[in-house]
Amino acid sequence: MSLPAEFALIARHFRPLAGAGALDLLDDAAVLDLPPGRRLVIAADAMVEGVHYLPDDPPETVGRKLLRVNLSDMAAMGAVPLGYLMTTAFSRGIADSWIAGFAQGLAEDQDAFGVTVLGGDTAVTPGPTCLSLTILGTVAPDAVLRRVGARAGDDIWVSGTIGDGLLGLRVLRGEVPADAEGHLARRYRLPQPRLALGQAIATVAHAGLDVSDGLVQDLGHLCRAAGCGAEIAAAEVPLSPAARALLARDAALLPALLTGGDDYELLFTAAPDAAAAVRDAAATAGIPVRRIGRMLAGPTEVVARDASGAVLDVARGGWSHF
Amino acid sequence: MSLPAEFALIARHFRPLAGAGALDLLDDAAVLDLPPGRRLVIAADAMVEGVHYLPDDPPETVGRKLLRVNLSDMAAMGAVPLGYLMTTAFSRGIADSWIAGFAQGLAEDQDAFGVTVLGGDTAVTPGPTCLSLTILGTVAPDAVLRRVGARAGDDIWVSGTIGDGLLGLRVLRGEVPADAEGHLARRYRLPQPRLALGQAIATVAHAGLDVSDGLVQDLGHLCRAAGCGAEIAAAEVPLSPAARALLARDAALLPALLTGGDDYELLFTAAPDAAAAVRDAAATAGIPVRRIGRMLAGPTEVVARDASGAVLDVARGGWSHF
């Protein structure tokens, strides 16, 4: 009996990615054991063609981004990733070479991040491709980084640089000029999950998350969870040289950088007297961090001030596909 | 700061479904502990509007089917379900009442099957709605039901009735007349995950899976995993009264019933001298089972014979959306 195309596709492209517990993707489910004494951490994120990635993005980076946005959720919890399940609804008539490139990207990042595929499902859709990934990780019981827990008076810290994802999207859409190095487009297509940093700060920070919806909006999540406010100094928010160059041409970009999505940096708060411990943790992880503001007693709102002390209009409050 | 529509949607429809470990869907991931001594079992299945369900299926049954096809994977492993994560890419402009109905269906089946939502993601797509669900369960280390392990000489057993899902789809498409009770359409829309049976037979059966691609094709999976063949007696395959009535009008339907998808019954093999134990397990679970054939030494092929002993043409070999 010949097998239908779906099974051949899984065998050709996805079975080589399977790891321990996946039962070679031949069973109805994966079976695995957690390392003793660790808690299970689990999250899921979806990506839709034309919404979360561009139809002409290379398939390798689409696969890598799908895995990385989920790994970023593990970073945000201080977790060590273990593996993932994936469901793919490929656009009907998609080229086999696209799926091969997508799987190749996954394979590269599996090696880079030490994870393997555990299971999933493959289907087709008459619409644009819909991808969904569920990431599993583990964490020590006393080292879970949560959104809740920020306190008035805490310093607010952020990793890496902010705004590159938004600008990368605008570059790829031809709305702003590209930087010569291609940094911005690369940042949109290949976020950097800050796993080592998340693990290093989990017991130092009071609260944290990854910036996926926009810095201001995600800081708002920390405020609502804590029942307090926040004030950030826009001039302290770390920007890449490419972002600085665009901002120098158009100062009105600043609120967009603070509210654009797709950063996948870690945003967290810690007591002021923990600043040295935060810097030590960041140095150990090899990931730059910057102190950008302070949590405040009072209403659960985020205020961003420019270098002159004026309040910036960031009321749009972040990115939503709805 | 006002929250965008995505957060309001999650708060309104999905947060009421959240259970222990979900952290109220407010964090980047769920955190949970497995019951001591149990292994984690995890699977994911996707459903696409117009492919896996009909655009005019009631949203309640779409939500319930999404959960149930995944619960069926837990049943196939002998696992006890624990909870689930879900990603939804809703068709842009979908009615809020549709999402409310979808969530209501999930709520009903959460109660019926003792699971809660642990996390996920909500997005929109310009195409048809794409739904993905990842189900978690646990199993005792010595009670995992696998696809591999069938032996030549084993009896082949199947639960419930076969072919109703295919016929239900044909009824809903207007291709065959509906039965007065609406049994067939209901079976297409609301599969019955055989959890109690899977748990009861896990240590009695040699191998098993759930029939989602078609009886013949899924039996082929057991054959390939075992390196042997199988012969089934079509007359022994259990059919519902509604399916029997349609078959009486059109005997040529029989191969379609044996290869149609969406049955979500359990198919398993056991040693002939375990037949009484199988019947006891089925009685305990309250789910009917029928012995339909035997595993054979020889090539990995499935032969289905009709009542006269003639070999039926089932070469199509099952359902694939590709």
Side-chain angles (χ1 to χ4, degrees), chain A residues 33-52:
Chain A
D33 302 299
L34 301 188
R38 307 278 293 179
R39 308 191 73 192
L40 177 65
V41 183
I42 187 162
D45 269 320
M47 287 188 3
V48 178
E49 175 188 0
V51 180
H52 303 87

Side-chain angles (χ1 to χ4, degrees), chain A:
Chain A
M1 180 181 2
S2 67
L3 288 173
E6 177 181 348
F7 292 95
L9 186 156
I10 291 170
R12 189 162 64 246
H13 296 304
F14 297 138
R15 189 158 301 141
L17 305 177
L23 308 178
D24 275 340
L25 307 183
L26 289 173
D27 259 281
D28 291 292
V31 181
L32 60 157
D33 302 299
L34 301 188
R38 307 278 293 179
R39 308 191 73 192
L40 177 65
V41 183
I42 187 162
D45 269 320
M47 287 188 3
V48 178
E49 175 188 0
V51 180
H52 303 87
Y53 67 94
L54 298 169
D56 60 355
D57 278 339
E60 290 81 3
T61 67
V62 175
R64 297 172 77 186
K65 184 170 183 174
L66 178 67
L67 186 51
R68 286 170 179 227
V69 300
N70 278 279
L71 287 167
S72 185
D73 283 328
M74 293 294 101
M77 305 295 287
V80 177
L82 195 66
Y84 65 98
L85 293 90
M86 183 176 62
T87 65
T88 52
F90 290 117
S91 193
R92 200 182 296 277
I94 198 168
D96 190 72
S97 61
W98 197 97
I99 301 176
F102 173 78
Q104 178 56 37
L106 287 169
E108 282 174 41
D109 272 1
Q110 286 198 176
D111 288 346
F113 295 101
V115 293
T116 54
V117 74
L118 295 168
D121 186 27
T122 294
V124 292
T125 169
T129 294
C130 286
L131 306 166
S132 176
L133 195 144
T134 298
I135 188 94
L136 284 77
T138 69
V139 71
D142 56 353
V144 184
L145 185 58
R146 296 279 315 274
R147 290 188 176 191
V148 65
R151 301 171 202 171
D154 274 3
D155 289 331
I156 300 167
W157 298 82
V158 72
S159 65
T161 56
I162 292 295
D164 296 336
L166 175 80
L167 294 175
L169 176 59
R170 292 189 178 182
V171 164
L172 289 168
R173 283 181 175 160
E175 297 166 2
V176 298
D179 58 302
E181 294 75 23
H183 172 79
L184 296 173
R186 198 161 50 243
R187 286 274 286 167
Y188 171 74
R189 287 173 167 162
L190 282 183
Q192 294 294 333
R194 304 302 195 183
L195 288 157
L197 180 64
Q199 293 158 25
I201 60 162
T203 54
V204 179
H206 284 159
L209 45 56
D210 70 323
V211 182
S212 53
D213 297 321
L215 179 68
V216 167
Q217 161 132 325
D218 283 315
L219 184 51
H221 292 319
L222 295 185
C223 290
R224 280 183 294 277
C228 59
E231 183 170 307
I232 59 172
E236 296 300 318
V237 173
L239 303 179
S240 67
R244 285 197 181 284
L246 287 173
L247 188 61
R249 294 161 38 115
D250 178 10
L253 261 184
L254 187 57
L257 300 184
L258 302 182
T259 56
D262 267 335
D263 290 309
Y264 300 103
E265 296 293 350
L266 293 189
L267 176 71
F268 56 98
T269 82
D273 64 10
V278 169
R279 292 192 202 283
D280 285 352
T284 302
I287 296 165
V289 294
R290 183 87 68 85
R291 191 159 43 173
I292 61 169
R294 183 150 294 187
M295 301 299 289
L296 303 174
T300 59
E301 65 182 5
V302 177
V303 173
R305 292 187 191 275
D306 70 14
S308 74
V311 173
L312 284 166
D313 179 10
V314 289
R316 179 170 164 271
W319 174 250
S320 171
H321 297 290
F322 279 80

Side-chain angles (χ1 to χ4, degrees), chain B residues 56-130:
Chain B
D56 59 356
D57 277 339
E60 290 80 4
T61 67
V62 175
R64 297 172 78 185
K65 183 170 184 174
L66 178 66
L67 186 50
R68 286 170 179 227
V69 300
N70 278 278
L71 288 168
S72 185
D73 283 329
M74 293 293 101
M77 304 296 286
V80 177
L82 196 64
Y84 66 97
L85 292 90
M86 183 176 63
T87 66
T88 51
F90 289 117
S91 194
R92 199 182 296 279
I94 197 169
D96 189 72
S97 61
W98 198 96
I99 301 176
F102 174 77
Q104 177 56 37
L106 288 169
E108 282 174 41
D109 272 1
Q110 288 198 175
D111 287 347
F113 295 102
V115 294
T116 55
V117 75
L118 295 168
D121 185 27
T122 294
V124 292
T125 170
T129 293
C130 286

